[in-house]
Amino acid sequence: ENVENNRHILLTTGATITEPFLSVVEIKEMSTEEGAELLLHCISDKKDFVSTERIMAKVIALQLGGLPLAIKQAGAYIRETECSLTGYLQRYRTYLFNRKRIFSFSAKEHNYFHIVATTWMLSFEKIASEQQAVANILRLCTFLHPDKIPEEILVKGAKELGDVLAPVAANPVELEMALNFISKYSLLYYNPNTNILTIHRLGQTILIEEMD
């Protein structure tokens, strides 16, 4: 068969009406079991988890509404900070209670923005407390096209990026370390082969809402 005639294009969209132009396959939230497995996979490479860990993973997956993006961010946070599953759930609930302003900008169904905004900001504030320059990279990326941000924007524009970020952007080793640090929290993806950065559109919206 001719491979050229057997290609397909997959489009993802939040639109609810696409037919008759396109057929739709609705992607639903993960089940509690699926979400728990994803979370455990994100926090550790081991295969055997004790029953209490599996139960807590299910509780977190349920709390996060089965949203893969939120679950992945939770897993990245747990792995990088080495906090327990129980510890993360406590931090998530505390943040949710103390930072209700973060939810004022969206009334999306199933609380999608609410859940992802909480997991995102938990990780962002952890990063900001440790490395302000890294946090500034994320803030800068909120104003750029999310899918293909060339690293050279940071490198060539280093002197324009302020006292905190400029020294890091001007140093190739420090910049690479900073970008890898962000990637570990699943807030930004850095491809060292192409020197391209990618940030989730929803993450951009969340950070812009947090800025004055």
Side-chain angles (χ1 to χ4, degrees):
E1 293 184 10
N2 188 343
V3 176
E4 293 294 330
N5 295 327
N6 286 278
R7 293 183 178 180
H8 300 275
I9 297 176
L10 174 65
L11 303 176
T12 59
T13 177
T16 56
I17 300 177
T18 61
E19 296 180 344
F21 308 105
L22 298 170
S23 59
V24 176
V25 177
E26 183 179 359
I27 301 176
K28 297 182 179 296
E29 295 83 0
M30 285 183 158
S31 68
T32 302
E33 291 284 347
E34 291 171 331
E37 286 299 318
L38 174 60
L39 179 61
L40 293 173
H41 175 75
C42 288
I43 67 176
S44 175
D45 293 330
K46 70 180 185 179
K47 302 297 182 181
D48 298 323
F49 293 90
V50 297
S51 59
T52 52
E53 290 177 315
R54 291 191 175 279
I55 291 172
M56 187 52 61
K58 290 179 182 179
V59 172
I60 294 175
L62 185 62
Q63 184 81 59
L64 300 183
L67 302 176
L69 178 58
I71 292 170
K72 186 174 182 181
Q73 288 169 352
Y77 183 99
I78 293 169
R79 184 184 65 246
E80 292 306 311
T81 62
E82 298 183 347
C83 77
S84 65
L85 290 161
T86 301
Y88 182 83
L89 184 61
Q90 291 173 341
R91 294 177 198 187
Y92 176 87
R93 287 174 172 170
T94 299
Y95 192 94
L96 191 66
F97 179 78
N98 292 333
R99 294 293 302 278
K100 290 186 177 180
R101 188 183 74 79
I102 199 173
F103 307 139
S104 62
F105 68 91
S106 173
K108 292 286 186 179
E109 61 180 350
H110 306 308
N111 295 322
Y112 187 97
F113 271 24
H114 299 188
I115 293 169
V116 176
T118 304
T119 58
W120 187 283
M121 289 306 300
L122 267 174
S123 295
F124 176 78
E125 292 193 355
K126 175 66 177 176
I127 288 174
S129 68
E130 296 183 6
Q131 298 193 38
Q132 191 59 49
V134 174
N136 284 348
I137 291 175
L138 280 168
R139 291 189 178 103
L140 173 63
C141 288
T142 63
F143 297 99
L144 304 174
H145 191 285
D147 295 331
K148 291 185 178 181
I149 304 171
E151 183 184 352
E152 67 176 342
I153 284 182
L154 297 170
V155 176
K156 292 186 176 181
K159 65 180 181 180
E160 308 294 339
L161 298 179
D163 296 338
V164 176
L165 180 53
V168 174
N171 186 313
V173 175
E174 288 191 21
L175 180 57
E176 184 174 10
M177 290 175 61
L179 294 175
N180 286 329
F181 181 72
I182 301 175
S183 297
K184 289 180 179 180
Y185 280 87
S186 293
L187 300 187
L188 178 144
Y189 302 93
Y190 169 58
N191 187 331
N193 297 318
T194 60
N195 300 119
I196 293 296
L197 319 178
T198 303
I199 185 171
H200 199 284
R201 286 170 170 77
L202 186 54
Q204 289 182 313
T205 301
I206 294 165
L207 287 181
I208 286 174
E209 286 293 324
E210 282 296 300
M211 284 187 267
D212 58 25

